[in-house]
Amino acid sequence: RELATALTHAIDGLEPSQREVLVLRDVEGLSAPEVARILGMSIEAVKSRLHRARVAIREQLAPVLGRPAIAPPPCGHGAPPDVLTLFSQHLDGEIDPSVCATMEAHLAQCHHCRDACESLKRTLAICRQVPTPDVPTALAASVKAAINAFLNQR
């Protein structure tokens, strides 16, 4: 319950544009292109907002998970640019296998980046496990029908 409350508070504290993307992508399970069509933005903008939202949620949940809330310092081990962004893309299956291999090799050497990625991974898992609020069946069906109609028009 404490974790669910912390997660709800963290999601509520996001900027509305980040919250929309996070809910559609990580809670509702829509693909990045679907979210982009619904919100009328580029796929790159969806991915950028999603990453910022995930990092913000991770930082908010870090104390509850027993992790430091501050991002780890630069490690100096030749890290790929923004390892958390790459890890987020890895979780979504959106990066080239060679980039993934480079990132995984770095994570094998660097406990700072590995801990940050593990924290993000646990945060995303928690986000998917927390039950969504009870929404009347008719309302949920109406929203899904509206989303599908919108996607089919484009």
Side-chain angles (χ1 to χ4, degrees), residues 22-39:
L22 180 85
V23 169
L24 290 172
R25 184 76 175 92
D26 286 345
V27 177
E28 294 298 324
L30 298 177
S31 69
E34 289 171 325
V35 173
R37 283 192 304 244
I38 289 169
L39 297 178

Side-chain angles (χ1 to χ4, degrees), residues 97-109:
S98 65
V99 174
C100 190
T102 300
M103 180 186 64
E104 288 173 345
H106 174 77
L107 293 176
Q109 300 174 30

Side-chain angles (χ1 to χ4, degrees), residues 10-143:
I11 292 172
D12 288 345
L14 291 172
E15 293 178 19
S17 62
Q18 291 177 0
R19 185 173 44 247
E20 288 175 330
V21 170
L22 180 85
V23 169
L24 290 172
R25 184 76 175 92
D26 286 345
V27 177
E28 294 298 324
L30 298 177
S31 69
E34 289 171 325
V35 173
R37 283 192 304 244
I38 289 169
L39 297 178
M41 63 179 64
S42 69
I43 294 172
E44 292 75 22
V46 167
K47 290 178 182 180
S48 176
R49 288 180 188 183
L50 179 61
H51 170 69
R52 286 194 306 267
R54 286 173 172 172
V55 170
I57 295 294
R58 175 191 162 286
E59 288 176 5
Q60 289 289 318
L61 292 184
V64 178
L65 296 171
R67 296 284 188 190
I70 300 171
C75 62
H77 289 122
D82 196 355
V83 74
L84 284 178
T85 298
L86 289 175
F87 187 69
S88 182
Q89 292 169 340
H90 166 72
L91 291 175
D92 289 336
E94 297 174 351
I95 62 172
D96 181 86
S98 65
V99 174
C100 190
T102 300
M103 180 186 64
E104 288 173 345
H106 174 77
L107 293 176
Q109 300 174 30
C110 179
H111 70 62
H112 292 293
C113 292
R114 185 174 49 250
D115 288 348
C117 289
E118 283 301 316
S119 177
L120 178 60
K121 187 176 182 179
R122 280 195 304 278
T123 300
L124 292 173
I126 291 165
C127 188
R128 290 181 179 112
Q129 291 173 358
V130 172
T132 55
D134 289 330
V135 176
T137 305
L139 178 59
S142 173
V143 169

